[in-house]
Amino acid sequence: MSEYFTLTVNGHVHEIDAAGTTPLLDVLRNHLGLKGSRYGCGLEQCGACMVLVDGETVYSCSREAVTLEGRSILTVEGLGGPDTLHPLQQAFLDEQAGQCGYCLSGMLMAAKALLDRNPSPTRADIVEALDPNLCRCGSHPRILRAVARAAAVMRGEAGDGH
């Protein structure tokens, strides 16, 4: 049964017409055209679908969209744009942290949540924050360096994160 509800995604309010049990990921991709968050496992185990809800990481594959009415959702599309990359996006490019790229949107969102609450994370903090996200390409060391590099840039340091 279809319902009408509103979602605030990347600062914009959207009216949604979907079944109340529709997962947030389906609404993002198929109703709003935001294709950055990806379907991986559908079981909250890979992190490819991760978004931020009120600054906290949420698996969008299993979360019913209607339960997020009135809350602020941030997807990878809301991080930055082609002309104004977020420091995390720039660091991921600089470190060549993406290989296949399937996990990157979830990695970026988990890293954003980490840096928002801890601007000076240790390598262990970064590893722990990204633990719910799987990367099967072998680029995980570059991803960890990219997050450290972005943290340094965001603190106003010219460091390379090593």
Side-chain angles (χ1 to χ4, degrees):
M1 176 185 268
S2 186
E3 292 182 43
Y4 289 95
F5 54 95
T6 60
L7 292 178
T8 303
V9 180
N10 300 333
H12 302 283
V13 177
H14 300 274
E15 291 190 24
I16 308 296
D17 178 11
T21 57
T22 304
L24 175 60
L25 181 62
D26 182 85
V27 170
L28 294 172
R29 293 182 61 85
N30 300 319
H31 293 252
L32 302 180
L34 299 171
K35 306 286 188 183
S37 302
R38 300 203 171 86
Y39 183 85
C41 66
L43 300 169
E44 300 184 0
Q45 295 180 1
C46 74
C49 67
M50 196 167 279
V51 298
L52 300 186
V53 175
D54 297 334
E56 298 294 325
T57 55
V58 168
Y59 296 100
S60 65
C61 67
S62 59
R63 188 66 176 265
E64 292 180 359
V66 72
T67 67
L68 300 171
E69 190 166 23
R71 301 179 69 186
S72 178
I73 301 163
L74 182 66
T75 70
V76 71
E77 291 90 346
L79 271 184
D83 298 327
T84 57
L85 294 179
H86 186 278
L88 277 165
Q89 293 169 314
Q90 186 62 57
F92 273 60
L93 288 172
D94 293 344
E95 291 290 339
Q96 299 179 6
Q99 193 165 340
C100 83
Y102 204 82
C103 69
L104 286 186
S105 58
M107 293 280 190
L108 284 163
M109 300 316 291
K112 167 116 175 66
L114 169 66
L115 297 184
D116 285 350
R117 69 177 183 273
N118 179 2
S120 300
T122 64
R123 183 175 173 83
D125 295 333
I126 297 168
V127 169
E128 182 180 342
L130 299 182
D131 188 53
N133 301 74
L134 296 179
C135 170
R136 294 191 168 99
C137 300
S139 61
H140 211 74
R142 292 184 301 229
I143 291 170
L144 299 178
R145 282 196 309 267
V147 175
R149 181 182 193 134
V153 168
M154 293 170 71
R155 290 190 308 265
E157 300 170 5
D160 63 3
H162 296 144

